[in-house]
Amino acid sequence: MLSRQIAEKLRSYETPFYLYDIDLLRQTLDSVTAVASRYGFKLHYAIKANYDPRILQTINEYGVGIDCASGNEVRCAIESGFSPNGIVYAGVGKKDKEIRYAIEQGIFSINCESLQELEQIDRIAGELGKVQNIALRINPDIDPKTNSCIDTGQADSKFGISYEEVMENVDVINSYKNIHIKGMHLHIGSQIRELHVFEYLCDKVNAIVEHLTALGFEFDFVDVGGGLGINYDVPENEPVPNFASVFSIISQHLKVGGKEVHFEFGRAIVAQCGELITSVLYRKDTATGKKIVIVDASMTELIRPALYGAYHNIENITSEETRKERYCIAGTACESTDIFDQSVSLPVTRRGDLLTIKSAGAYGMSMASRYNQHDLPGAVYSDEIE
Ligand code: LLP
């Protein structure tokens, strides 16, 4: 994480920019790969969390696979040097050309989210003269106890196929000749901090695998998705997420014989290694007495607060004041929800100060937009700061 000593050096870069701590990324990857290998678990990094080339290159050194959500993400993974046979591809709305590309590349698994999609994968694989490995993404109907904007596994969600629908269509599913159902996939949501929900997930998976096996399905692997949350409140307390706990829960509760167990973490791998560095442009007070700090970043660099009401810890890294004040930290975009924090206590803050918006390595840059014709932010890597 950012040390104060380098704060002054950061003044030489044009703000706003993402600052990536490559040492912390490596510590995180050391941790997740060491614990996973203890249990024999397979990892796929959810590339949607961050596509930064340096981050991808570092992740690739650890030999993990990739989880993708579009044809272009599959392409990005392959062009970044990841092996197709470690790539899984989920997504509710795969287009024909995306399915075709994934099959041509020979990826490890297409994680299929509807019966109609299954039919299309079978057709396209047939046209290409191939048999494609797939996993059925089952909706397990579990409340992941997270922000409702990012839960994906409750019964009325758009993600996955309902278990009931699978049971009613076993013969149809087994009739396709150009697909090979190798796995079962689930992903219940993101930023999960109440780890006991992974126990419920295991209980559901155990029951589903048992029933489907009795009906003649032969799965080689179960992919339990991603979702492990991070500490946004006080990132310094938990720079490397608690992979050991979630792996231990899955290892104790998942009873799927000798099947491979796969994970698809995104946020837990990259969130804490990224911060958004922004300069204070203006200070003003509203008629109601609110002290507003306008920074040069906005929702176009980091949309999570505006989109989900997400909290990010903010610090002033250059102020030498000891007196603190409460500020509303607002961005430059022409949107009223473009607020990073409605009320944060910071040392007295002035034009030209640098603020860091922490834990922004996941779903920050990858969700950036060019609304208001803003420039996209740059990236600075901790080991390249002069
Ligand atoms: N696997 C699948 C099928 C997914 O849909 C996702 C995330 C992941 C894995 C990775 O989940 P993670 O380990 O990162 O929780 N933009 C939102 C998060 C959206 C997550 C979408 N799916 C945010 O900023 O919080």
Side-chain angles (χ1 to χ4, degrees):
M1 253 162 235
L2 181 59
S3 82
R4 292 219 164 209
Q5 291 92 309
I6 63 166
E8 281 305 321
K9 293 188 178 173
L10 296 180
R11 287 195 183 279
S12 59
Y13 300 93
E14 184 183 347
T15 53
F17 62 86
Y18 277 96
L19 174 66
Y20 293 119
D21 183 337
I22 299 296
D23 285 343
L24 180 57
L25 176 62
R26 286 190 190 283
Q27 282 172 39
T28 308
L29 288 161
D30 285 339
S31 164
V32 69
T33 53
V35 197
S37 75
R38 210 177 296 152
Y39 293 104
F41 292 157
K42 307 267 186 239
L43 298 171
H44 306 267
Y45 162 62
I47 197 169
K48 61 183 81 98
N50 194 314
Y51 313 106
D52 181 88
R54 182 81 203 280
I55 287 188
L56 294 183
Q57 180 201 324
T58 309
I59 292 174
N60 200 11
E61 289 170 23
Y62 286 76
V64 305
I66 294 285
D67 161 54
C68 300
S70 72
N72 282 345
E73 286 194 352
V74 175
R75 190 181 312 276
C76 173
I78 290 172
E79 289 178 358
S80 303
F82 289 89
S83 164
N85 65 24
I87 294 179
V88 296
Y89 171 22
V92 292
K94 302 183 189 78
K95 299 172 191 138
D96 284 16
K97 69 172 184 184
E98 296 179 301
I99 295 172
R100 183 166 291 112
Y101 176 71
I103 296 174
E104 282 168 352
Q105 297 302 316
I107 69 168
F108 177 75
S109 173
I110 298 183
N111 296 345
C112 181
E113 308 225 13
S114 67
L115 296 187
Q116 284 192 336
E117 183 191 328
L118 209 57
E119 194 182 334
Q120 296 313 315
I121 299 172
D122 179 69
R123 175 182 60 79
I124 295 167
E127 286 166 12
L128 293 170
K130 296 201 172 194
V131 175
Q132 174 63 43
N133 289 337
I134 68 142
L136 294 177
R137 177 169 180 179
I138 311 271
N139 178 319
D141 190 18
I142 288 178
D143 177 357
K145 310 270 185 230
T146 185
N147 183 327
S148 62
C149 299
I150 51 175
D151 75 23
T152 53
Q154 303 216 54
D156 64 350
S157 154
K158 72 172 179 175
F159 297 99
I161 312 175
S162 81
Y163 172 57
E164 289 72 13
E165 199 176 11
V166 173
M167 297 295 281
E168 284 160 17
N169 292 278
V170 172
D171 292 343
V172 181
I173 295 171
N174 278 325
S175 70
Y176 296 117
K177 298 282 175 291
N178 308 307
I179 56 178
H180 185 185
I181 301 175
K182 294 263 282 184
M184 192 171 110
H185 175 226
L186 308 97
H187 172 74
I188 55 174
S190 202
Q191 183 51 16
I192 297 169
R193 294 285 282 168
E194 295 190 33
L195 296 189
H196 59 268
V197 302
F198 287 108
E199 292 181 23
Y200 307 148
L201 175 67
C202 291
D203 294 344
K204 283 271 170 99
V205 174
N206 295 343
I208 297 172
V209 168
E210 192 183 319
H211 289 153
L212 293 183
T213 306
L215 289 169
F217 288 101
E218 288 176 20
F219 299 119
D220 293 350
F221 70 91
V222 174
D223 181 338
V224 292
L228 178 62
I230 61 138
N231 188 339
Y232 281 100
D233 295 332
V234 192
E236 294 75 8
N237 285 355
E238 226 180 306
V240 176
N242 194 346
F243 296 107
S245 291
V246 71
F247 287 152
S248 157
I249 289 171
I250 300 282
S251 147
Q252 281 174 36
H253 294 268
L254 200 65
K255 307 276 181 245
V256 290
K259 297 184 197 342
E260 279 183 0
V261 180
H262 294 232
F263 290 82
E264 307 169 341
F265 297 126
R267 186 189 318 268
I269 292 179
V270 291
Q272 298 292 35
C273 81
E275 306 184 36
L276 180 60
I277 308 295
T278 181
S279 303
V280 174
L281 289 175
Y282 302 108
R283 258 279 293 115
K284 62 182 173 184
D285 296 343
T286 64
T288 55
K290 185 154 85 173
K291 294 181 186 333
I292 299 194
V293 166
I294 313 277
V295 294
D296 65 358
S298 75
M299 63 192 289
T300 64
E301 285 81 24
L302 179 65
I303 199 174
R304 302 191 70 258
L307 191 60
Y308 311 119
Y311 172 79
H312 286 261
N313 191 295
I314 298 177
E315 239 185 86
N316 184 326
I317 52 174
T318 51
S319 170
E320 287 176 0
E321 298 277 352
T322 46
R323 190 165 60 86
K324 292 197 161 189
E325 288 184 326
R326 284 217 157 258
Y327 300 111
C328 165
I329 310 294
T332 57
C334 193
E335 286 289 334
S336 303
T337 60
D338 182 27
I339 302 290
F340 288 114
D341 198 319
Q342 281 292 357
S343 175
V344 56
S345 171
L346 295 179
V348 171
T349 292
R350 300 196 170 83
R351 177 174 166 86
D353 285 351
L354 289 185
L355 305 191
T356 173
I357 305 178
K358 298 182 213 170
S359 314
Y363 308 112
M365 185 61 201
S366 63
M367 296 181 80
S369 79
R370 294 215 49 212
Y371 176 57
N372 290 163
Q373 291 283 299
H374 283 183
D375 292 327
L376 289 172
V380 173
Y381 307 97
S382 54
D383 54 357
E384 292 176 3
I385 294 171
E386 305 270 294

